[in-house]
Amino acid sequence: MSSLETKSRIFQALDAFSIEIPSWGFANTGTRFGKFAQAAAATNLEEKFADAGEVHRLTGATPTLALHVLWDLPNGVDDADTIKALEKKNGVRAGSINPNLFQDLEYKYGSICNPSAEVRKKATQHLLDSVEIGKAVGSAEVSLWIADGSNYPGTQSVRRRIGWMKDALAETHAALAPGQTMLVEYKPFEPAFYHTDIADWGMALELARSAGPQAKVLVDTGHHYQGTNIEQIVAWLIELNALGGFHFNDRKYADDDLTLGSIDPYQIFRIFAEIHAAHAGGGSFNPPAYMIDQSHNLKGKVEAMVQTVVTAQELYAKAALIDQAQLATLQDSCQLVEAEELFRGAFWTDVRPMLQEWRIQRGLPADPMAALRSGGYVERIAAERGAKNAVGQSSYA
Ligand code: LRH
Ligand code: MN
């Protein structure tokens, strides 16, 4: 394949690649041992949209902002007009709607899996409200992470909880508008430390399928036990037409929510390789929703977000370099080393010069991070928000 053909394929891939950023990635976050407040952190929805607008202005790849209902839309659908005004002002649209079913006191023993029918009713109503918010702001995905579980063996019935969960998800699916997708996210543990009701991809798949055709599985890269072959799970979900979206981040140990590609960039490359293979495979492959889910406890939040988007573009472009037809021939003729060298060769290719050219041709800064630094945005918001963030100290106990 000529270099010109290669470049046009990369440019096409980049034109089609956008990744959603999480509003909570701009706010002050921490661990249970403390939170290191940053002067420039976003303290309200207006500032989160402004930061998202800056990232989109610099990268051209983040047109939507994921919203967490209780953190960003305390008034529910009544906040829709506020959202519309912020979208207009900042050039970024509302993205996936993420219900909060993990912080209310009533959810101590679970939300939609709680033995109390009254608590389940309240939790289901929050899911239905989230669906209505999605309709009101015109966003495609309602993205469900259910933190429910237990901490000690014998203290809860896993099977009764499955039944209660299916009832709530069926009711939520029935409320979806055509074109709305319900994403079911799984996580093996935390905050529950004995069993989690939606702990792996198989459970999420069964729940999505039993809920209905507009329900798909969301793969958060940080939600797997060490050693799990995540790209194999992705291949299965593609095969089953059940892959709805990703929450990208990185980790060394557990759900560390570190910046994408900071620990194991080859992991994300292998996932994108499955995606490009699906695109090349023809057939009706609906690309999943690409989303970032990180908390930036130490790095500057806008810098970390720009760094993450640029890394995602680089890894998506590298994987697009793979000649899928040639790779399939080598794989099916078991030419192992040749296949691996073609696959790995793409990963080792420095695509940054091509990305710079792609950006320049689209009127974007060749180096978004350098443009962020020279533009003074972070210094400006730090000056504006510093006083508000100074008071926000919190510690574990
Ligand atoms: C849970 C999770 C989920 C979000 C939260 C912020 O660990 O990945 O996607 O709701 O992080
Ligand atoms: Mn997540």
Side-chain angles (χ1 to χ4, degrees), residues 7-19 60-61 63 313 316-317 355 358-359 361-362 364:
K7 190 193 289 186
S8 77
R9 182 145 48 82
I10 301 301
F11 279 28
Q12 269 175 21
L14 290 168
D15 285 339
F17 182 74
S18 66
I19 189 162
Q313 288 178 309
Y316 192 76
L355 262 157
W358 175 82
R359 294 188 182 110
Q361 282 189 17
R362 282 146 189 76
L364 296 163

Side-chain angles (χ1 to χ4, degrees), residues 3 74 95 110 116 130 144 164 168 184 230 256 259 295 330 367 375 377 386:
S3 67
S116 152
S130 302
L144 312 187
W164 296 326
V184 181
I230 302 174
D256 310 346
T259 42
S295 53
L330 295 169
D367 179 341
Y377 181 79

Side-chain angles (χ1 to χ4, degrees), residues 61-359:
T62 59
T64 57
L65 179 69
L67 303 173
H68 235 299
V69 175
L70 296 188
W71 298 340
D72 299 319
L73 302 119
N75 309 305
V77 285
D78 298 342
D79 286 327
D81 292 345
T82 308
I83 299 284
K84 291 207 170 68
L86 290 171
E87 290 179 329
K88 213 150 177 269
K89 184 175 174 204
N90 298 286
V92 168
R93 296 189 321 279
S96 63
I97 303 298
N98 296 258
N100 293 60
L101 285 179
F102 46 83
Q103 53 197 95
D104 296 32
L105 278 183
E106 292 97 321
Y107 299 147
K108 182 176 179 183
Y109 304 120
S111 63
I112 59 175
C113 303
N114 193 300
S116 152
E118 195 191 337
V119 173
R120 296 198 299 274
K121 189 167 182 346
K122 175 189 173 181
T124 305
Q125 186 53 53
H126 181 68
L127 294 180
L128 296 173
D129 295 346
S130 302
V131 169
E132 294 314 309
I133 290 169
K135 293 173 188 172
V137 299
S139 75
E141 294 93 13
V142 180
S143 190
L144 312 187
W145 170 59
I146 307 297
D148 294 18
S150 69
N151 278 1
Y152 303 98
T155 59
Q156 287 291 306
S157 161
V158 171
R159 293 187 54 200
R160 285 196 293 282
R161 292 169 75 96
I162 294 169
W164 296 326
M165 190 159 44
K166 283 190 170 180
D167 296 346
L169 296 180
E171 199 177 332
T172 305
H173 187 284
L176 295 173
Q180 258 187 317
T181 301
M182 183 169 104
L183 299 175
V184 181
E185 182 174 1
Y186 57 90
K187 183 176 180 179
F189 65 89
E190 188 203 42
F193 293 108
Y194 167 62
H195 101 282
T196 291
D197 291 289
I198 312 180
D200 68 20
W201 73 279
M203 299 176 199
L205 177 65
E206 168 54 24
L207 289 166
R209 284 186 152 175
S210 60
Q214 290 170 251
K216 304 278 185 189
V217 175
L218 185 145
V219 177
D220 185 314
T221 50
H223 292 183
H224 302 87
Y225 292 116
Q226 292 290 337
T228 303
N229 187 326
I230 302 174
E231 61 272 22
Q232 182 184 14
I233 294 172
V234 170
W236 267 88
L237 291 171
I238 291 171
E239 182 66 20
L240 300 170
N241 189 24
L243 179 64
F246 288 98
H247 276 180
F248 287 120
N249 45 62
D250 213 332
R251 44 55 160 301
K252 179 85 182 98
Y253 304 105
D255 188 21
D256 310 346
D257 283 341
L258 301 177
T259 42
L260 181 154
S262 58
I263 306 288
D264 183 3
Y266 198 41
Q267 170 62 82
I268 305 294
F269 171 85
R270 297 195 306 271
I271 289 173
F272 282 149
E274 283 300 334
I275 298 288
H276 287 295
H279 278 299
S284 63
F285 170 61
N286 306 320
Y290 301 115
M291 300 178 277
I292 295 164
D293 182 5
Q294 294 170 186
S295 53
H296 307 121
N297 303 338
L298 303 180
K299 286 180 177 179
K301 300 170 192 295
V302 179
E303 296 96 319
M305 209 66 89
V306 170
Q307 185 191 32
T308 297
V309 176
V310 167
T311 306
Q313 288 178 309
E314 289 169 359
L315 291 166
Y316 192 76
K318 283 173 186 281
L321 280 172
I322 299 170
D323 182 325
Q324 295 291 343
Q326 193 187 351
L327 181 64
T329 306
L330 295 169
Q331 288 171 333
D332 297 351
S333 56
C334 297
Q335 297 178 61
L336 306 185
V337 175
E338 291 81 358
E340 185 184 29
E341 285 310 306
L342 185 151
F343 187 86
R344 225 165 43 130
F347 179 69
W348 291 131
T349 305
D350 184 355
V351 295
R352 290 174 292 186
M354 230 187 283
L355 262 157
Q356 294 205 346
E357 207 180 322
W358 175 82
R359 294 188 182 110

